[in-house]
Amino acid sequence: MPTLSDLAVRHTALDDADLEWMHSLVSDWQLLADLSFADLILWIPLKDGSGWIAVAQMRPTTGPTVYHDDVVGTTIARGERELIDTAWDERRICREGDPDWSTGVPVREETIPVRRADPAGGALGGCASGGPVPGGLASGGSASVGAANGAASVGPANGAAPGQRYLGVIQRSTNLSSARTPSRLELTYLQSASDLAQMVAEGRFPFSGAEPILVRSPRVGDGLLRLDRAGRVTYASPNALSAYRRLGLTADLVGAELGRTTATLCYADEPINENLMIVASGREPRETEVEAGGTVVQLRAIPLVVGGGRIGALVLIRDVTELRRRERELMTKDATIREIHHRVKNNLQTVAALLRLQARRLQVPEGREALEEAVRRVGSIAIVHETLSHTPEEQVDFDDIADRVIAMASEVSAPEAQVVPRRVGTFGVLKSEIATPLAMVLTELLQNAVQHGLAQRPGRLQVIVSREADRLDVIVSDDGAGLPEGFDLESSTSLGLQIVRTLVVGELSGRLAIEPRQGGGTEVTLAIPLPGT
Ligand SMILES: Nc1ncnc2c1ncn2[C@@H]1O[C@H](COP(=O)(O)OP(=O)(O)OP(=O)(O)O)[C@@H](O)[C@H]1O
Ligand SMILES: [Mg+2]
């Protein structure tokens, strides 16, 4: 499926700036479709001027569609759809008198020329806030209050501006089959749609320079307010009213000044929130979020600027209480888990330090050695918890951990042996249930190789990993002295290998073999299943 860019580059003469305008139009035109209860198709003239290509399409979420098939990529010749040609040639919005029945349902067609405003040109007319003021919305904060004030004065009419450029035509098709006597809501929607269409034709919508909206903005169906020039509510959709009721409003919303009303509800004891005042006045295309009584509401202002003057604004309203509550919950849960790992690590380090202290006091060499080993065992678990305390998930990049455990082993090797262990292959990301026992197993095996195999002589020590989709194979191999005569894993009663066996077989449901290595030394093989990773 070709994208808007693909089609435009291949078939039309649009340049990069045009394309950007188209992208920002298309990213925001759901609003126009929803307010119009209509399908939108964006037609761009073909390079050779012979006709049109459809580069984007939008269906309304508020009403039935006209086009059940996708039309993107379709071309039509000039003369085929008179309404499109006329809107383009005469640079004006065209509306057909009678419904078109060619698709089987009555459809009202309308076409809107798409004009791109040049930020440097005069297409902005006298309105500083509604048009593409660089840094207007982009500033996001309260920096451009000055520009907003400028909007209050009506500028010179939108005459022949130097930055004038037309890019294509929007075909707006309304399925009339379900049309009823329009309610107040529908009339407000349609009036607002017609204002927005006018803004598209004047190069005032989309708001260029606006930050791309990453989180889903409120949609028409979420809740809609219409404001007059003074920021007073002239219409409130039932959803918008409900949102304000939840914020604590008991009085009427229609007739109220939105900025002051919202501030009273949400910031009663606080200094005036400038960003809210700008959004709620409808002077700038901006978003904000307000909270009161446990309800969180997102507001998005769309200034309506038609014929060079600001006539009011639409404010889309969405109750995001549940969404934000879930986000907060997730965030605190993650943070708590990380904090727990951090504390476990600290505690383990304290335990290791205590053991080390005790070891130093001991006069019996075996006792001291035993305690020093315990210190290392505790240390390898601490490493896993430390790694987990840095990641939001309960899984870790085990290569990191393995390398630290390996480095620890080389530290305990006798100075004359100078073992430099190395890792071949990668473990990748592992769940913590696997990472913790595996880190301990590696510690034991590496320690054995260094202590028993390579104690008297230098040699090679390798950890060879191969990871399959559902299993992990690990070989710890040294070319040292080899296993003692008559060694048997099953009957070995020493602690190290018992730990290894318990963890590999019991905890990890894996297999373990310890055998003489070909060419001398010892090879320990682990096969660990990775369920559901
Ligand atoms: N890589 C190896 N090379 C040679 N011998 C080994 C190797 N690994 C294990 N062994 C032999 O297996 C025996 C059992 O090892 P195990 O780790 O269970 O005990 P340990 O290392 O002696 O004591 P600890 O309980 O402190 O680990 C060792 O004493 C050693 O003789
Ligand atoms: Mg051992």
Side-chain angles (χ1 to χ4, degrees):
M1 171 92 187
T3 63
L4 190 157
S5 300
D6 294 342
L7 291 171
V9 168
R10 209 169 320 141
H11 301 286
T12 76
L14 294 190
D15 65 22
D16 287 349
D18 296 337
L19 252 177
E20 197 157 309
W21 188 266
M22 285 304 183
H23 276 296
S24 90
L25 171 68
V26 165
S27 74
D28 221 6
W29 70 343
Q30 176 85 59
L31 185 62
L32 181 60
D34 287 348
L35 288 171
S36 317
F37 309 96
D39 285 82
L40 305 178
I41 300 172
L42 179 55
W43 298 96
I44 311 276
L46 291 165
K47 246 180 226 158
D48 58 8
S50 65
W52 304 89
I53 180 162
V55 297
Q57 174 179 14
M58 176 58 76
R59 293 190 178 88
T61 62
T62 47
T65 183
V66 174
Y67 303 101
H68 292 280
D69 290 330
D70 204 86
V71 298
V72 172
T74 319
T75 55
I76 52 172
R78 242 177 182 279
E80 218 174 301
R81 294 262 173 85
E82 217 176 290
L83 225 52
I84 297 175
D85 298 343
T86 315
W88 178 258
D89 294 339
E90 298 176 16
R91 310 303 202 207
R92 65 175 177 87
I93 294 175
C94 300
R95 193 168 193 181
E96 202 171 53
D98 296 323
D100 172 15
W101 283 85
S102 58
T103 51
V105 288
V107 173
R108 187 174 54 230
E109 299 281 0
E110 202 172 343
T111 49
I112 305 153
V114 176
R115 179 174 169 197
R116 187 191 117 202
D118 180 352
L124 287 174
C127 175
S129 72
V133 183
L137 178 63
S139 66
S142 53
S144 40
V145 186
N149 290 339
S153 63
V154 180
N158 175 36
Q164 183 159 312
R165 184 168 162 83
Y166 286 85
L167 309 182
V169 173
I170 293 176
Q171 177 186 357
R172 177 160 73 160
S173 315
T174 314
N175 184 339
L176 296 175
S177 61
S178 66
R180 308 162 268 141
T181 316
S183 65
R184 190 70 217 289
L185 178 141
E186 278 155 46
L187 289 175
T188 310
Y189 279 23
L190 290 172
Q191 178 57 50
S192 305
S194 123
D195 293 335
L196 263 191
Q198 193 62 41
M199 286 169 69
V200 169
E202 288 178 13
R204 296 185 193 278
F205 186 88
F207 304 108
S208 78
E211 280 170 18
I213 294 145
L214 300 176
V215 191
R216 176 171 95 69
S217 273
R219 295 207 182 117
V220 171
D222 293 323
L224 179 94
L225 299 176
R226 183 154 175 147
L227 309 184
D228 66 11
R229 266 191 56 170
R232 238 178 274 283
V233 179
T234 56
Y235 174 79
S237 81
N239 280 346
L241 193 61
S242 297
Y244 266 84
R245 289 274 177 264
R246 266 171 253 136
L247 284 176
L249 182 80
T250 46
D252 223 351
L253 193 53
V254 173
E257 197 185 310
L258 190 66
R260 200 179 305 155
T261 305
T262 313
T264 313
L265 290 173
C266 304
Y267 300 96
D269 325 314
E270 292 166 42
I272 290 201
N273 176 325
E274 252 170 37
N275 198 40
L276 165 66
M277 294 318 268
I278 291 168
V279 172
S281 69
R283 284 175 304 187
E284 273 193 52
R286 268 200 210 179
E287 290 195 15
T288 191
E289 233 173 71
V290 295
E291 185 170 358
T295 298
V296 187
V297 169
Q298 204 181 5
L299 306 179
R300 179 187 176 200
I302 298 128
L304 295 173
V305 185
V306 177
R310 201 167 61 83
I311 58 168
L314 299 176
V315 178
L316 299 180
I317 306 260
R318 181 182 175 208
D319 184 339
V320 289
T321 312
E322 273 309 299
L323 196 79
R324 294 288 177 259
R325 195 181 57 80
R326 248 178 296 141
E327 273 173 11
R328 270 175 217 168
E329 234 169 41
L330 279 177
M331 248 167 57
T332 50
K333 192 175 153 227
D334 280 353
T336 313
I337 290 172
R338 280 203 300 273
E339 179 58 23
I340 290 172
H341 282 302
H342 184 74
R343 288 183 183 197
V344 170
K345 182 213 75 179
N346 284 349
N347 290 346
L348 288 174
Q349 281 178 343
T350 312
V351 171
L354 282 173
L355 291 174
R356 203 176 296 123
L357 220 94
Q358 269 183 303
R360 268 195 223 129
R361 292 215 186 125
L362 271 184
Q363 301 303 322
V364 191
E366 281 128 66
R368 177 189 277 221
E369 239 167 66
L371 281 183
E372 276 169 359
E373 249 175 55
V375 169
R376 281 191 285 277
R377 282 173 185 149
V378 173
S380 63
I381 307 176
I383 289 177
V384 177
H385 284 286
E386 181 175 13
T387 316
L388 282 169
S389 75
H390 295 309
T391 54
E393 299 98 33
E394 281 293 271
Q395 43 187 21
V396 284
D397 182 354
F398 196 78
D399 292 326
D400 249 18
I401 294 178
D403 290 347
R404 291 173 65 175
V405 170
I406 289 169
M408 228 164 53
S410 87
E411 276 167 28
V412 302
S413 70
E416 65 272 18
Q418 282 182 347
V419 181
V420 183
R422 63 187 203 103
R423 168 169 62 87
V424 182
T426 69
F427 288 90
V429 172
L430 295 178
K431 288 186 180 161
S432 61
E433 300 103 85
I434 295 176
T436 313
L438 190 58
M440 276 202 79
V441 166
L442 273 185
T443 311
E444 292 302 326
L445 296 178
L446 290 165
Q447 216 160 290
N448 277 353
V450 169
Q451 274 180 352
H452 307 301
L454 302 167
Q456 307 321 326
R457 48 169 164 176
R460 288 207 316 167
L461 173 53
Q462 287 189 314
V463 177
I464 303 156
V465 199
S466 79
R467 180 162 181 177
E468 313 272 323
D470 57 351
R471 58 182 278 172
L472 193 62
D473 290 306
V474 184
I475 300 169
V476 179
S477 125
D478 69 75
D479 59 358
L483 292 164
E485 200 77 18
F487 171 86
D488 178 30
L489 175 61
E490 300 305 320
S491 59
S492 157
T493 52
S494 48
L495 186 58
L497 286 178
Q498 255 184 54
I499 293 179
V500 171
R501 205 171 39 207
T502 310
L503 292 177
V504 172
V505 180
E507 197 98 333
L508 297 170
S509 317
R511 278 178 294 120
L512 165 75
I514 171 161
E515 290 156 335
R517 176 179 166 274
Q518 272 192 345
T522 308
E523 203 166 77
V524 185
T525 317
L526 311 174
I528 295 162
L530 300 175
T533 36

PDB file of all heavy atoms in Angstrom, residues 52 78 81-94 111 169:
ATOM      1  N   TRP A  52      -6.276  13.928 -11.696  1.00  0.00           N
ATOM      2  CA  TRP A  52      -6.098  13.953 -10.253  1.00  0.00           C
ATOM      3  C   TRP A  52      -5.762  12.578  -9.710  1.00  0.00           C
ATOM      4  O   TRP A  52      -6.209  11.577 -10.247  1.00  0.00           O
ATOM      5  CB  TRP A  52      -7.396  14.407  -9.582  1.00  0.00           C
ATOM      6  CG  TRP A  52      -7.882  15.731 -10.080  1.00  0.00           C
ATOM      7  CD1 TRP A  52      -8.713  15.961 -11.132  1.00  0.00           C
ATOM      8  CD2 TRP A  52      -7.553  17.003  -9.535  1.00  0.00           C
ATOM      9  NE1 TRP A  52      -8.936  17.297 -11.295  1.00  0.00           N
ATOM     10  CE2 TRP A  52      -8.234  17.968 -10.315  1.00  0.00           C
ATOM     11  CE3 TRP A  52      -6.752  17.432  -8.473  1.00  0.00           C
ATOM     12  CZ2 TRP A  52      -8.130  19.335 -10.063  1.00  0.00           C
ATOM     13  CZ3 TRP A  52      -6.660  18.784  -8.223  1.00  0.00           C
ATOM     14  CH2 TRP A  52      -7.343  19.723  -9.024  1.00  0.00           C
ATOM     15  N   ARG A  78      -9.185  15.002 -15.782  1.00  0.00           N
ATOM     16  CA  ARG A  78      -9.834  16.301 -15.713  1.00  0.00           C
ATOM     17  C   ARG A  78     -11.150  16.223 -16.477  1.00  0.00           C
ATOM     18  O   ARG A  78     -11.223  15.554 -17.497  1.00  0.00           O
ATOM     19  CB  ARG A  78      -8.937  17.369 -16.334  1.00  0.00           C
ATOM     20  CG  ARG A  78      -8.553  18.418 -15.331  1.00  0.00           C
ATOM     21  CD  ARG A  78      -7.622  19.439 -15.905  1.00  0.00           C
ATOM     22  NE  ARG A  78      -7.274  20.375 -14.843  1.00  0.00           N
ATOM     23  CZ  ARG A  78      -8.039  21.389 -14.454  1.00  0.00           C
ATOM     24  NH1 ARG A  78      -9.188  21.619 -15.045  1.00  0.00           N
ATOM     25  NH2 ARG A  78      -7.650  22.178 -13.476  1.00  0.00           N
ATOM     26  N   ARG A  81     -14.768  14.894 -12.848  1.00  0.00           N
ATOM     27  CA  ARG A  81     -15.498  15.406 -11.669  1.00  0.00           C
ATOM     28  C   ARG A  81     -15.425  16.930 -11.703  1.00  0.00           C
ATOM     29  O   ARG A  81     -14.453  17.518 -11.238  1.00  0.00           O
ATOM     30  CB  ARG A  81     -14.857  14.909 -10.361  1.00  0.00           C
ATOM     31  CG  ARG A  81     -14.947  13.444 -10.126  1.00  0.00           C
ATOM     32  CD  ARG A  81     -16.107  13.093  -9.187  1.00  0.00           C
ATOM     33  NE  ARG A  81     -16.255  11.650  -9.121  1.00  0.00           N
ATOM     34  CZ  ARG A  81     -15.569  10.885  -8.297  1.00  0.00           C
ATOM     35  NH1 ARG A  81     -14.757  11.421  -7.430  1.00  0.00           N
ATOM     36  NH2 ARG A  81     -15.700   9.581  -8.327  1.00  0.00           N
ATOM     37  N   GLU A  82     -16.428  17.474 -12.218  1.00  0.00           N
ATOM     38  CA  GLU A  82     -16.433  18.915 -12.450  1.00  0.00           C
ATOM     39  C   GLU A  82     -16.156  19.709 -11.169  1.00  0.00           C
ATOM     40  O   GLU A  82     -15.451  20.709 -11.170  1.00  0.00           O
ATOM     41  CB  GLU A  82     -17.815  19.301 -12.984  1.00  0.00           C
ATOM     42  CG  GLU A  82     -17.782  20.394 -14.032  1.00  0.00           C
ATOM     43  CD  GLU A  82     -19.185  20.629 -14.570  1.00  0.00           C
ATOM     44  OE1 GLU A  82     -19.690  19.731 -15.276  1.00  0.00           O
ATOM     45  OE2 GLU A  82     -19.755  21.667 -14.229  1.00  0.00           O
ATOM     46  N   LEU A  83     -16.725  19.222 -10.083  1.00  0.00           N
ATOM     47  CA  LEU A  83     -16.643  19.942  -8.816  1.00  0.00           C
ATOM     48  C   LEU A  83     -15.194  20.112  -8.337  1.00  0.00           C
ATOM     49  O   LEU A  83     -14.829  21.134  -7.766  1.00  0.00           O
ATOM     50  CB  LEU A  83     -17.451  19.178  -7.762  1.00  0.00           C
ATOM     51  CG  LEU A  83     -18.367  19.976  -6.849  1.00  0.00           C
ATOM     52  CD1 LEU A  83     -19.287  20.883  -7.619  1.00  0.00           C
ATOM     53  CD2 LEU A  83     -19.183  19.001  -5.998  1.00  0.00           C
ATOM     54  N   ILE A  84     -14.385  19.079  -8.597  1.00  0.00           N
ATOM     55  CA  ILE A  84     -12.974  19.140  -8.187  1.00  0.00           C
ATOM     56  C   ILE A  84     -12.248  20.158  -9.060  1.00  0.00           C
ATOM     57  O   ILE A  84     -11.501  21.014  -8.565  1.00  0.00           O
ATOM     58  CB  ILE A  84     -12.320  17.746  -8.310  1.00  0.00           C
ATOM     59  CG1 ILE A  84     -13.009  16.766  -7.356  1.00  0.00           C
ATOM     60  CG2 ILE A  84     -10.826  17.818  -8.025  1.00  0.00           C
ATOM     61  CD1 ILE A  84     -12.526  15.342  -7.464  1.00  0.00           C
ATOM     62  N   ASP A  85     -12.474  20.075 -10.354  1.00  0.00           N
ATOM     63  CA  ASP A  85     -11.819  21.017 -11.279  1.00  0.00           C
ATOM     64  C   ASP A  85     -12.166  22.461 -10.930  1.00  0.00           C
ATOM     65  O   ASP A  85     -11.308  23.339 -10.909  1.00  0.00           O
ATOM     66  CB  ASP A  85     -12.261  20.741 -12.729  1.00  0.00           C
ATOM     67  CG  ASP A  85     -11.867  19.335 -13.188  1.00  0.00           C
ATOM     68  OD1 ASP A  85     -10.998  18.734 -12.522  1.00  0.00           O
ATOM     69  OD2 ASP A  85     -12.432  18.847 -14.179  1.00  0.00           O
ATOM     70  N   THR A  86     -13.445  22.684 -10.633  1.00  0.00           N
ATOM     71  CA  THR A  86     -13.883  24.053 -10.367  1.00  0.00           C
ATOM     72  C   THR A  86     -13.255  24.606  -9.087  1.00  0.00           C
ATOM     73  O   THR A  86     -12.793  25.749  -9.051  1.00  0.00           O
ATOM     74  CB  THR A  86     -15.415  24.116 -10.231  1.00  0.00           C
ATOM     75  OG1 THR A  86     -15.982  23.349 -11.288  1.00  0.00           O
ATOM     76  CG2 THR A  86     -15.915  25.530 -10.300  1.00  0.00           C
ATOM     77  N   ALA A  87     -13.234  23.786  -8.046  1.00  0.00           N
ATOM     78  CA  ALA A  87     -12.651  24.258  -6.786  1.00  0.00           C
ATOM     79  C   ALA A  87     -11.211  24.664  -7.010  1.00  0.00           C
ATOM     80  O   ALA A  87     -10.717  25.646  -6.454  1.00  0.00           O
ATOM     81  CB  ALA A  87     -12.734  23.146  -5.732  1.00  0.00           C
ATOM     82  N   TRP A  88     -10.528  23.913  -7.848  1.00  0.00           N
ATOM     83  CA  TRP A  88      -9.117  24.186  -8.135  1.00  0.00           C
ATOM     84  C   TRP A  88      -8.958  25.426  -9.016  1.00  0.00           C
ATOM     85  O   TRP A  88      -8.191  26.324  -8.687  1.00  0.00           O
ATOM     86  CB  TRP A  88      -8.508  22.955  -8.822  1.00  0.00           C
ATOM     87  CG  TRP A  88      -7.091  23.109  -9.225  1.00  0.00           C
ATOM     88  CD1 TRP A  88      -6.631  23.359 -10.490  1.00  0.00           C
ATOM     89  CD2 TRP A  88      -5.937  23.019  -8.377  1.00  0.00           C
ATOM     90  NE1 TRP A  88      -5.267  23.427 -10.489  1.00  0.00           N
ATOM     91  CE2 TRP A  88      -4.814  23.226  -9.204  1.00  0.00           C
ATOM     92  CE3 TRP A  88      -5.750  22.790  -7.019  1.00  0.00           C
ATOM     93  CZ2 TRP A  88      -3.518  23.203  -8.708  1.00  0.00           C
ATOM     94  CZ3 TRP A  88      -4.461  22.763  -6.531  1.00  0.00           C
ATOM     95  CH2 TRP A  88      -3.355  22.974  -7.356  1.00  0.00           C
ATOM     96  N   ASP A  89      -9.718  25.473 -10.093  1.00  0.00           N
ATOM     97  CA  ASP A  89      -9.562  26.561 -11.058  1.00  0.00           C
ATOM     98  C   ASP A  89      -9.981  27.903 -10.462  1.00  0.00           C
ATOM     99  O   ASP A  89      -9.342  28.919 -10.685  1.00  0.00           O
ATOM    100  CB  ASP A  89     -10.412  26.291 -12.314  1.00  0.00           C
ATOM    101  CG  ASP A  89      -9.896  25.068 -13.070  1.00  0.00           C
ATOM    102  OD1 ASP A  89      -8.705  24.716 -12.868  1.00  0.00           O
ATOM    103  OD2 ASP A  89     -10.680  24.457 -13.820  1.00  0.00           O
ATOM    104  N   GLU A  90     -11.045  27.849  -9.695  1.00  0.00           N
ATOM    105  CA  GLU A  90     -11.570  29.117  -9.180  1.00  0.00           C
ATOM    106  C   GLU A  90     -11.186  29.383  -7.733  1.00  0.00           C
ATOM    107  O   GLU A  90     -11.587  30.393  -7.145  1.00  0.00           O
ATOM    108  CB  GLU A  90     -13.099  29.132  -9.341  1.00  0.00           C
ATOM    109  CG  GLU A  90     -13.496  29.035 -10.807  1.00  0.00           C
ATOM    110  CD  GLU A  90     -15.002  28.955 -11.005  1.00  0.00           C
ATOM    111  OE1 GLU A  90     -15.746  29.267 -10.049  1.00  0.00           O
ATOM    112  OE2 GLU A  90     -15.426  28.574 -12.117  1.00  0.00           O
ATOM    113  N   ARG A  91     -10.389  28.489  -7.169  1.00  0.00           N
ATOM    114  CA  ARG A  91      -9.882  28.666  -5.796  1.00  0.00           C
ATOM    115  C   ARG A  91     -10.994  28.946  -4.803  1.00  0.00           C
ATOM    116  O   ARG A  91     -10.928  29.876  -4.003  1.00  0.00           O
ATOM    117  CB  ARG A  91      -8.885  29.838  -5.715  1.00  0.00           C
ATOM    118  CG  ARG A  91      -7.768  29.868  -6.723  1.00  0.00           C
ATOM    119  CD  ARG A  91      -6.947  28.643  -6.676  1.00  0.00           C
ATOM    120  NE  ARG A  91      -5.607  28.826  -7.223  1.00  0.00           N
ATOM    121  CZ  ARG A  91      -4.896  27.839  -7.767  1.00  0.00           C
ATOM    122  NH1 ARG A  91      -5.396  26.622  -7.872  1.00  0.00           N
ATOM    123  NH2 ARG A  91      -3.681  28.051  -8.195  1.00  0.00           N
ATOM    124  N   ARG A  92     -12.054  28.153  -4.894  1.00  0.00           N
ATOM    125  CA  ARG A  92     -13.138  28.394  -3.952  1.00  0.00           C
ATOM    126  C   ARG A  92     -13.834  27.082  -3.587  1.00  0.00           C
ATOM    127  O   ARG A  92     -13.723  26.090  -4.303  1.00  0.00           O
ATOM    128  CB  ARG A  92     -14.146  29.392  -4.529  1.00  0.00           C
ATOM    129  CG  ARG A  92     -14.871  28.867  -5.748  1.00  0.00           C
ATOM    130  CD  ARG A  92     -15.944  29.843  -6.218  1.00  0.00           C
ATOM    131  NE  ARG A  92     -16.583  29.349  -7.432  1.00  0.00           N
ATOM    132  CZ  ARG A  92     -17.619  28.525  -7.434  1.00  0.00           C
ATOM    133  NH1 ARG A  92     -18.131  28.090  -6.310  1.00  0.00           N
ATOM    134  NH2 ARG A  92     -18.145  28.116  -8.585  1.00  0.00           N
ATOM    135  N   ILE A  93     -14.521  27.118  -2.468  1.00  0.00           N
ATOM    136  CA  ILE A  93     -15.282  25.960  -2.033  1.00  0.00           C
ATOM    137  C   ILE A  93     -16.512  25.820  -2.914  1.00  0.00           C
ATOM    138  O   ILE A  93     -17.225  26.798  -3.151  1.00  0.00           O
ATOM    139  CB  ILE A  93     -15.701  26.120  -0.554  1.00  0.00           C
ATOM    140  CG1 ILE A  93     -14.456  26.107   0.329  1.00  0.00           C
ATOM    141  CG2 ILE A  93     -16.668  25.015  -0.130  1.00  0.00           C
ATOM    142  CD1 ILE A  93     -14.711  26.382   1.791  1.00  0.00           C
ATOM    143  N   CYS A  94     -16.731  24.619  -3.465  1.00  0.00           N
ATOM    144  CA  CYS A  94     -17.872  24.406  -4.347  1.00  0.00           C
ATOM    145  C   CYS A  94     -18.817  23.404  -3.734  1.00  0.00           C
ATOM    146  O   CYS A  94     -18.403  22.403  -3.155  1.00  0.00           O
ATOM    147  CB  CYS A  94     -17.419  23.835  -5.691  1.00  0.00           C
ATOM    148  SG  CYS A  94     -16.291  24.885  -6.553  1.00  0.00           S
ATOM    149  N   THR A 111     -16.404  20.414  -2.511  1.00  0.00           N
ATOM    150  CA  THR A 111     -14.960  20.377  -2.724  1.00  0.00           C
ATOM    151  C   THR A 111     -14.314  21.625  -2.131  1.00  0.00           C
ATOM    152  O   THR A 111     -14.878  22.723  -2.205  1.00  0.00           O
ATOM    153  CB  THR A 111     -14.608  20.285  -4.229  1.00  0.00           C
ATOM    154  OG1 THR A 111     -15.356  21.267  -4.922  1.00  0.00           O
ATOM    155  CG2 THR A 111     -14.911  18.904  -4.767  1.00  0.00           C
ATOM    156  N   VAL A 169      -7.197  19.409  -3.719  1.00  0.00           N
ATOM    157  CA  VAL A 169      -8.611  19.631  -3.412  1.00  0.00           C
ATOM    158  C   VAL A 169      -9.109  18.512  -2.502  1.00  0.00           C
ATOM    159  O   VAL A 169      -8.783  17.346  -2.720  1.00  0.00           O
ATOM    160  CB  VAL A 169      -9.453  19.655  -4.713  1.00  0.00           C
ATOM    161  CG1 VAL A 169     -10.941  19.713  -4.396  1.00  0.00           C
ATOM    162  CG2 VAL A 169      -9.044  20.830  -5.597  1.00  0.00           C
TER     163      VAL A 169
END
